[in-house]
Amino acid sequence: MSYSIKHLTPSLSSSNPIPRWGSSLIPSKIQSLPTKPINLNIIKPLCISQVQDFGGWVRKRSHEVVCKVYEAEGDLPLEIQSEGGQKMRIGFYFATWWSLNVVFNIYNKKVLNAFPFPWLTSTLSLAAGSLIMLVSWGVKVVEAPKTDAEFWKALFPVALAHTIGHVAATISMSKVAVSFTHIIKSGEPAFSVLVSRFLLSETFPLGVYLSLLPIIGGCGLSALTELNFNMTGFMGAMVSNLAFVFRNIFSKKGMKGTSVSGMNYYACLSMLSLLILTPFTIAMEGPQMWEAGWQTAVTQIGPNFIWWVVAQSVFYHLYNQVSYMSLDQISPLTFSVGNTMKRISVIVASIIIFRTPIQPVNAVGAAIAILGTFIYSQAKQ
Ligand code: 3PG
Protein backbone atom coordinates (compact mmCIF):
# COMPACT_ATOMS: atom_id res chain seq x y z
CA MET A 1 0.00 0.00 0.00
CA SER A 2 1.32 3.44 -0.81
CA TYR A 3 0.42 6.70 0.82
CA SER A 4 0.39 10.37 0.18
CA ILE A 5 0.02 13.30 2.51
CA LYS A 6 -2.29 16.12 1.67
CA HIS A 7 -3.00 19.46 3.22
CA LEU A 8 -6.54 20.32 4.24
CA THR A 9 -6.19 24.06 3.75
CA PRO A 10 -5.87 25.82 0.41
CA SER A 11 -2.37 24.90 -0.60
CA LEU A 12 -1.68 26.84 -3.72
CA SER A 13 2.01 26.16 -3.87
CA SER A 14 5.23 26.53 -2.05
CA SER A 15 8.68 26.90 -3.41
CA ASN A 16 10.01 25.56 -0.15
CA PRO A 17 8.28 22.26 0.52
CA ILE A 18 8.62 20.80 4.01
CA PRO A 19 11.35 23.23 5.03
CA ARG A 20 11.08 22.59 8.74
CA TRP A 21 9.79 19.04 8.85
CA GLY A 22 11.36 17.97 12.12
CA SER A 23 12.41 14.42 11.56
CA SER A 24 12.84 13.90 15.28
CA LEU A 25 9.09 14.43 15.65
CA ILE A 26 8.20 11.79 13.14
CA PRO A 27 8.26 8.17 14.20
CA SER A 28 10.11 5.89 11.85
CA LYS A 29 6.89 4.13 10.83
CA ILE A 30 5.51 7.36 9.39
CA GLN A 31 8.79 8.37 7.80
CA SER A 32 8.82 5.17 5.84
CA LEU A 33 5.21 5.47 4.64
CA PRO A 34 5.33 7.66 1.56
CA THR A 35 6.36 5.57 -1.39
CA LYS A 36 4.92 7.97 -3.97
CA PRO A 37 5.81 11.64 -4.44
CA ILE A 38 4.28 13.69 -1.64
CA ASN A 39 1.85 16.48 -2.50
CA LEU A 40 2.63 18.66 0.45
CA ASN A 41 2.74 22.42 0.46
CA ILE A 42 3.46 23.65 3.91
CA ILE A 43 5.60 26.28 5.45
CA LYS A 44 5.10 25.49 9.10
CA PRO A 45 6.59 22.78 11.30
CA LEU A 46 4.39 19.77 11.93
CA CYS A 47 3.56 18.02 15.16
CA ILE A 48 1.89 14.67 15.51
CA SER A 49 -1.14 15.40 17.64
CA GLN A 50 -3.12 12.21 17.48
CA VAL A 51 -2.27 8.76 16.36
CA GLN A 52 -4.82 6.10 17.06
CA ASP A 53 -3.38 2.72 18.03
CA PHE A 54 0.04 3.71 16.89
CA GLY A 55 1.39 0.21 16.80
CA GLY A 56 -1.52 -1.30 14.94
CA TRP A 57 -2.77 1.74 12.95
CA VAL A 58 -6.52 1.81 13.53
CA ARG A 59 -8.36 1.45 10.23
CA LYS A 60 -11.22 3.81 9.53
CA ARG A 61 -12.42 1.83 6.56
CA SER A 62 -10.99 -1.25 5.05
CA HIS A 63 -8.71 0.71 2.73
CA GLU A 64 -8.12 3.90 4.67
CA VAL A 65 -5.78 4.75 7.51
CA VAL A 66 -5.89 8.14 9.19
CA CYS A 67 -3.24 9.78 11.29
CA LYS A 68 -3.95 13.29 12.58
CA VAL A 69 -1.08 15.70 12.19
CA TYR A 70 -1.17 19.40 12.96
CA GLU A 71 0.92 22.37 11.98
CA ALA A 72 2.68 23.80 15.01
CA GLU A 73 1.07 27.25 14.66
CA GLY A 74 -2.27 26.78 13.02
CA ASP A 75 -4.15 23.68 14.19
CA LEU A 76 -4.49 22.72 10.56
CA PRO A 77 -5.10 19.01 10.13
CA LEU A 78 -3.31 16.87 7.62
CA GLU A 79 -4.39 13.37 6.74
CA ILE A 80 -2.52 10.39 5.57
CA GLN A 81 -4.84 8.27 3.51
CA SER A 82 -4.62 5.33 1.21
CA GLU A 83 -4.42 6.04 -2.49
CA GLY A 84 -7.78 4.38 -3.23
CA GLY A 85 -9.70 6.59 -0.78
CA GLN A 86 -7.96 9.70 -2.02
CA LYS A 87 -8.73 8.90 -5.66
CA MET A 88 -12.39 8.32 -4.87
CA ARG A 89 -12.62 11.64 -3.07
CA ILE A 90 -10.86 13.54 -5.85
CA GLY A 91 -13.09 11.82 -8.42
CA PHE A 92 -16.16 12.95 -6.50
CA TYR A 93 -14.95 16.56 -6.28
CA PHE A 94 -14.03 16.68 -9.95
CA ALA A 95 -17.32 15.16 -11.12
CA THR A 96 -19.27 17.67 -9.02
CA TRP A 97 -17.12 20.63 -10.07
CA TRP A 98 -17.35 19.84 -13.80
CA SER A 99 -21.10 19.11 -13.73
CA LEU A 100 -21.88 22.33 -11.87
CA ASN A 101 -19.63 24.24 -14.26
CA VAL A 102 -21.33 22.79 -17.35
CA VAL A 103 -24.76 23.72 -15.97
CA PHE A 104 -23.53 27.25 -15.15
CA ASN A 105 -22.10 27.76 -18.63
CA ILE A 106 -25.26 26.55 -20.36
CA TYR A 107 -27.62 28.76 -18.33
CA ASN A 108 -25.23 31.69 -18.43
CA LYS A 109 -25.20 31.59 -22.23
CA LYS A 110 -28.97 31.08 -22.46
CA VAL A 111 -29.47 34.16 -20.26
CA LEU A 112 -26.92 36.23 -22.20
CA ASN A 113 -28.53 35.30 -25.53
CA ALA A 114 -31.87 36.63 -24.34
CA PHE A 115 -30.63 39.38 -22.03
CA PRO A 116 -27.23 40.68 -23.18
CA PHE A 117 -26.18 42.47 -20.01
CA PRO A 118 -22.99 40.72 -18.86
CA TRP A 119 -22.20 43.27 -16.14
CA LEU A 120 -25.53 42.64 -14.42
CA THR A 121 -25.42 38.85 -14.77
CA SER A 122 -21.86 38.83 -13.37
CA THR A 123 -23.05 40.88 -10.41
CA LEU A 124 -26.05 38.63 -9.82
CA SER A 125 -23.75 35.59 -9.71
CA LEU A 126 -21.69 37.19 -6.94
CA ALA A 127 -24.81 38.41 -5.15
CA ALA A 128 -26.35 34.92 -5.16
CA GLY A 129 -23.17 33.45 -3.67
CA SER A 130 -22.94 36.15 -1.03
CA LEU A 131 -26.58 35.65 -0.04
CA ILE A 132 -26.26 31.85 0.11
CA MET A 133 -23.24 32.11 2.39
CA LEU A 134 -24.69 34.84 4.64
CA VAL A 135 -27.79 32.69 5.18
CA SER A 136 -25.61 29.58 5.75
CA TRP A 137 -23.63 31.46 8.40
CA GLY A 138 -26.81 32.95 9.91
CA VAL A 139 -28.56 29.59 10.36
CA LYS A 140 -25.21 28.01 11.31
CA VAL A 141 -25.17 25.41 8.54
CA VAL A 142 -21.64 26.68 8.00
CA GLU A 143 -19.54 28.20 10.75
CA ALA A 144 -18.70 31.84 9.97
CA PRO A 145 -14.98 32.47 9.59
CA LYS A 146 -13.06 34.55 12.10
CA THR A 147 -11.46 37.31 10.07
CA ASP A 148 -9.62 40.52 10.86
CA ALA A 149 -8.64 43.66 8.97
CA GLU A 150 -5.42 42.02 7.77
CA PHE A 151 -7.42 39.19 6.18
CA TRP A 152 -9.63 41.61 4.21
CA LYS A 153 -6.63 43.70 3.24
CA ALA A 154 -4.89 40.64 1.82
CA LEU A 155 -8.14 39.58 0.14
CA PHE A 156 -8.65 42.88 -1.68
CA PRO A 157 -6.23 42.34 -4.60
CA VAL A 158 -7.54 38.77 -4.97
CA ALA A 159 -11.12 40.08 -5.12
CA LEU A 160 -10.17 42.81 -7.59
CA ALA A 161 -8.53 40.29 -9.93
CA HIS A 162 -11.46 37.85 -9.46
CA THR A 163 -13.93 40.62 -10.34
CA ILE A 164 -12.05 41.63 -13.49
CA GLY A 165 -11.56 38.00 -14.58
CA HIS A 166 -15.22 37.15 -13.96
CA VAL A 167 -16.76 40.13 -15.73
CA ALA A 168 -14.31 39.85 -18.65
CA ALA A 169 -15.19 36.15 -19.15
CA THR A 170 -18.91 36.96 -19.04
CA ILE A 171 -18.49 39.80 -21.56
CA SER A 172 -16.61 37.31 -23.76
CA MET A 173 -19.41 34.77 -23.52
CA SER A 174 -21.98 37.42 -24.38
CA LYS A 175 -20.15 38.02 -27.70
CA VAL A 176 -18.88 34.60 -28.82
CA ALA A 177 -19.72 30.91 -28.45
CA VAL A 178 -19.11 29.41 -24.99
CA SER A 179 -16.77 26.88 -26.59
CA PHE A 180 -14.61 29.64 -28.09
CA THR A 181 -14.31 31.50 -24.77
CA HIS A 182 -13.16 28.27 -23.10
CA ILE A 183 -10.71 27.41 -25.88
CA ILE A 184 -9.04 30.79 -25.34
CA LYS A 185 -9.26 30.31 -21.58
CA SER A 186 -7.34 27.04 -21.91
CA GLY A 187 -4.39 29.34 -22.72
CA GLU A 188 -4.25 30.53 -19.08
CA PRO A 189 -1.00 28.61 -18.31
CA ALA A 190 0.79 30.64 -20.98
CA PHE A 191 -0.19 33.85 -19.16
CA SER A 192 0.88 32.31 -15.88
CA VAL A 193 4.36 31.48 -17.18
CA LEU A 194 4.85 34.85 -18.89
CA VAL A 195 3.73 36.87 -15.86
CA SER A 196 5.82 34.75 -13.47
CA ARG A 197 8.86 34.96 -15.74
CA PHE A 198 8.80 38.66 -16.61
CA LEU A 199 7.15 40.23 -13.55
CA LEU A 200 8.30 37.88 -10.78
CA SER A 201 11.57 36.72 -12.40
CA GLU A 202 10.67 33.06 -11.78
CA THR A 203 12.33 30.46 -13.97
CA PHE A 204 10.87 27.19 -15.19
CA PRO A 205 12.19 23.94 -16.68
CA LEU A 206 12.66 23.99 -20.46
CA GLY A 207 9.65 21.65 -20.86
CA VAL A 208 7.36 24.33 -19.44
CA TYR A 209 8.49 26.90 -22.00
CA LEU A 210 8.14 24.34 -24.81
CA SER A 211 4.60 23.48 -23.70
CA LEU A 212 3.64 27.10 -24.42
CA LEU A 213 4.14 26.50 -28.14
CA PRO A 214 1.15 24.15 -28.54
CA ILE A 215 -0.92 26.23 -26.09
CA ILE A 216 -0.36 29.51 -27.92
CA GLY A 217 -0.34 27.87 -31.35
CA GLY A 218 -3.55 25.91 -30.67
CA CYS A 219 -5.41 28.93 -29.28
CA GLY A 220 -4.17 31.03 -32.20
CA LEU A 221 -5.32 28.45 -34.76
CA SER A 222 -8.74 28.24 -33.13
CA ALA A 223 -9.09 32.02 -33.02
CA LEU A 224 -8.11 32.40 -36.69
CA THR A 225 -10.55 29.74 -37.83
CA GLU A 226 -13.46 30.64 -35.52
CA LEU A 227 -16.54 31.11 -37.66
CA ASN A 228 -18.14 33.69 -35.36
CA PHE A 229 -15.03 35.53 -34.29
CA ASN A 230 -15.58 38.75 -32.38
CA MET A 231 -12.73 40.91 -31.09
CA THR A 232 -14.50 41.89 -27.83
CA GLY A 233 -15.24 38.22 -27.15
CA PHE A 234 -11.63 37.25 -27.83
CA MET A 235 -10.17 40.09 -25.74
CA GLY A 236 -12.59 39.37 -22.87
CA ALA A 237 -11.25 35.81 -22.61
CA MET A 238 -7.65 37.07 -22.83
CA VAL A 239 -8.22 39.69 -20.10
CA SER A 240 -9.89 37.01 -17.97
CA ASN A 241 -6.80 34.80 -18.36
CA LEU A 242 -4.50 37.60 -17.28
CA ALA A 243 -6.70 38.62 -14.33
CA PHE A 244 -6.99 35.03 -13.09
CA VAL A 245 -3.20 34.63 -13.18
CA PHE A 246 -2.95 37.65 -10.87
CA ARG A 247 -5.79 36.28 -8.74
CA ASN A 248 -3.80 33.07 -8.26
CA ILE A 249 -0.61 34.94 -7.41
CA PHE A 250 -2.40 37.15 -4.86
CA SER A 251 -4.35 34.16 -3.49
CA LYS A 252 -1.07 32.41 -2.82
CA LYS A 253 0.01 35.32 -0.61
CA GLY A 254 -3.44 36.00 0.84
CA MET A 255 -4.16 32.44 1.92
CA LYS A 256 -0.77 31.92 3.50
CA GLY A 257 -1.20 31.42 7.23
CA THR A 258 -4.99 31.90 7.22
CA SER A 259 -7.15 29.29 8.90
CA VAL A 260 -10.25 30.21 6.84
CA SER A 261 -11.54 27.15 4.97
CA GLY A 262 -11.75 27.00 1.18
CA MET A 263 -15.54 27.38 1.29
CA ASN A 264 -15.43 30.45 3.54
CA TYR A 265 -12.50 31.95 1.67
CA TYR A 266 -14.53 31.85 -1.53
CA ALA A 267 -17.57 33.28 0.32
CA CYS A 268 -15.54 36.29 1.51
CA LEU A 269 -14.09 36.65 -1.98
CA SER A 270 -17.61 36.78 -3.49
CA MET A 271 -18.75 39.43 -1.02
CA LEU A 272 -15.78 41.70 -1.57
CA SER A 273 -16.01 41.24 -5.36
CA LEU A 274 -19.69 42.12 -5.20
CA LEU A 275 -18.87 45.39 -3.44
CA ILE A 276 -16.21 46.20 -6.01
CA LEU A 277 -18.33 45.31 -9.05
CA THR A 278 -21.72 46.86 -8.17
CA PRO A 279 -20.89 50.57 -8.84
CA PHE A 280 -19.22 49.68 -12.17
CA THR A 281 -22.22 47.58 -13.21
CA ILE A 282 -24.60 50.47 -12.56
CA ALA A 283 -22.31 52.85 -14.46
CA MET A 284 -21.82 50.51 -17.45
CA GLU A 285 -25.44 49.35 -17.91
CA GLY A 286 -27.93 50.76 -15.42
CA PRO A 287 -31.60 50.18 -14.47
CA GLN A 288 -33.15 51.75 -17.56
CA MET A 289 -31.38 49.40 -19.95
CA TRP A 290 -32.09 46.41 -17.71
CA GLU A 291 -35.80 47.16 -17.52
CA ALA A 292 -36.22 47.30 -21.28
CA GLY A 293 -34.01 44.22 -21.77
CA TRP A 294 -35.86 42.25 -19.10
CA GLN A 295 -39.25 42.92 -20.74
CA THR A 296 -37.90 41.73 -24.08
CA ALA A 297 -36.39 38.59 -22.55
CA VAL A 298 -39.58 37.67 -20.66
CA THR A 299 -41.64 38.25 -23.80
CA GLN A 300 -39.34 35.97 -25.82
CA ILE A 301 -38.73 33.22 -23.25
CA GLY A 302 -41.71 33.45 -20.92
CA PRO A 303 -41.80 33.53 -17.10
CA ASN A 304 -39.23 30.70 -16.95
CA PHE A 305 -36.59 33.25 -17.82
CA ILE A 306 -36.28 34.22 -14.17
CA TRP A 307 -35.34 30.59 -13.32
CA TRP A 308 -32.58 30.70 -15.92
CA VAL A 309 -31.19 33.78 -14.20
CA VAL A 310 -31.46 32.07 -10.80
CA ALA A 311 -29.78 28.92 -12.19
CA GLN A 312 -26.82 30.77 -13.72
CA SER A 313 -26.30 32.77 -10.51
CA VAL A 314 -26.58 29.85 -8.09
CA PHE A 315 -24.56 27.41 -10.20
CA TYR A 316 -21.80 29.98 -10.61
CA HIS A 317 -21.41 30.11 -6.85
CA LEU A 318 -21.69 26.36 -6.39
CA TYR A 319 -19.06 25.40 -8.97
CA ASN A 320 -16.62 27.98 -7.65
CA GLN A 321 -17.26 26.89 -4.08
CA VAL A 322 -16.59 23.25 -4.96
CA SER A 323 -13.45 24.24 -6.86
CA TYR A 324 -12.13 26.13 -3.81
CA MET A 325 -13.08 23.15 -1.61
CA SER A 326 -11.14 20.94 -4.04
CA LEU A 327 -8.12 23.16 -3.52
CA ASP A 328 -8.36 22.17 0.14
CA GLN A 329 -7.98 18.55 -0.82
CA ILE A 330 -5.66 18.33 -3.80
CA SER A 331 -2.36 19.65 -5.01
CA PRO A 332 -2.19 22.70 -7.31
CA LEU A 333 -1.00 20.41 -10.08
CA THR A 334 -3.99 18.07 -9.81
CA PHE A 335 -6.17 21.16 -9.64
CA SER A 336 -4.82 22.57 -12.88
CA VAL A 337 -5.24 19.23 -14.67
CA GLY A 338 -8.82 19.13 -13.34
CA ASN A 339 -9.44 22.64 -14.61
CA THR A 340 -8.29 21.66 -18.11
CA MET A 341 -10.55 18.60 -18.09
CA LYS A 342 -13.36 20.88 -16.98
CA ARG A 343 -12.86 23.01 -20.09
CA ILE A 344 -13.11 19.91 -22.31
CA SER A 345 -16.48 19.00 -20.74
CA VAL A 346 -17.75 22.57 -21.16
CA ILE A 347 -16.53 22.85 -24.77
CA VAL A 348 -18.08 19.51 -25.79
CA ALA A 349 -21.35 20.07 -23.87
CA SER A 350 -21.84 23.60 -25.21
CA ILE A 351 -21.12 22.58 -28.83
CA ILE A 352 -23.76 19.84 -28.54
CA ILE A 353 -26.38 21.92 -26.71
CA PHE A 354 -26.02 25.14 -28.72
CA ARG A 355 -25.25 23.28 -31.98
CA THR A 356 -22.21 25.52 -32.41
CA PRO A 357 -20.87 25.26 -35.96
CA ILE A 358 -17.16 24.40 -35.90
CA GLN A 359 -14.71 23.68 -38.68
CA PRO A 360 -12.42 20.64 -38.30
CA VAL A 361 -9.35 22.89 -38.27
CA ASN A 362 -10.90 24.88 -35.41
CA ALA A 363 -11.39 21.67 -33.39
CA VAL A 364 -7.79 20.66 -34.15
CA GLY A 365 -6.62 24.03 -32.76
CA ALA A 366 -8.62 23.44 -29.57
CA ALA A 367 -7.22 19.91 -29.20
CA ILE A 368 -3.63 21.16 -29.64
CA ALA A 369 -4.14 23.91 -27.04
CA ILE A 370 -5.61 21.47 -24.52
CA LEU A 371 -2.86 18.94 -25.16
CA GLY A 372 -0.36 21.76 -24.56
CA THR A 373 -2.02 22.45 -21.20
CA PHE A 374 -1.55 18.80 -20.21
CA ILE A 375 2.10 18.90 -21.26
CA TYR A 376 2.48 22.10 -19.22
CA SER A 377 1.00 20.41 -16.14
CA GLN A 378 3.41 17.51 -16.45
CA ALA A 379 6.46 19.68 -17.22
CA LYS A 380 5.77 21.89 -14.20
CA GLN A 381 5.96 18.95 -11.73
C1 3PG B 1 -16.34 33.47 -14.83
O1 3PG B 1 -17.40 33.91 -15.20
O2 3PG B 1 -15.79 33.79 -13.77
C2 3PG B 1 -15.66 32.52 -15.73
O3 3PG B 1 -16.56 31.86 -16.55
C3 3PG B 1 -14.84 31.63 -14.93
O4 3PG B 1 -14.20 30.79 -15.73
P1 3PG B 1 -13.39 29.59 -15.14
O5 3PG B 1 -13.79 29.38 -13.73
O6 3PG B 1 -13.78 28.45 -16.01
O7 3PG B 1 -11.94 29.96 -15.29
Side-chain angles (χ1 to χ4, degrees), residues 108-116 173-174 176 300 308 354:
N108 188 41
K109 185 63 180 171
K110 278 159 86 89
V111 169
L112 288 169
N113 281 345
F115 182 72
M173 280 188 264
S174 71
V176 291
Q300 274 174 9
W308 292 9
F354 294 110

Side-chain angles (χ1 to χ4, degrees), residues 101 104 165-166 169-170 173 182 185 244 316 319 342-343:
N101 190 256
F104 158 71
H166 173 42
T170 313
M173 280 188 264
H182 281 274
K185 277 175 73 65
F244 282 166
Y316 177 79
Y319 98 76
K342 176 195 88 179
R343 300 222 187 277

Side-chain angles (χ1 to χ4, degrees), residues 172-234:
S172 171
M173 280 188 264
S174 71
K175 298 288 181 191
V176 291
V178 177
S179 51
F180 183 61
T181 299
H182 281 274
I183 291 169
I184 301 304
K185 277 175 73 65
S186 69
E188 192 180 312
F191 286 80
S192 175
V193 171
L194 296 176
V195 168
S196 304
R197 179 72 195 88
F198 293 110
L199 293 186
L200 306 177
S201 302
E202 276 182 34
T203 51
F204 298 91
L206 180 65
V208 169
Y209 295 115
L210 292 178
S211 72
L212 301 190
L213 295 176
I215 294 177
I216 296 170
C219 285
L221 183 63
S222 264
L224 287 174
T225 56
E226 169 65 27
L227 289 172
N228 296 307
F229 182 85
N230 172 286
M231 189 48 97
T232 309
F234 174 71

Side-chain angles (χ1 to χ4, degrees), residues 15 25 45 55 98 100 126 144 175 203 249 258 263 277 281 345 361:
S15 53
L25 287 172
W98 299 341
L100 293 170
L126 297 171
K175 298 288 181 191
T203 51
I249 290 170
T258 177
M263 182 193 284
L277 185 57
T281 297
S345 6
V361 65

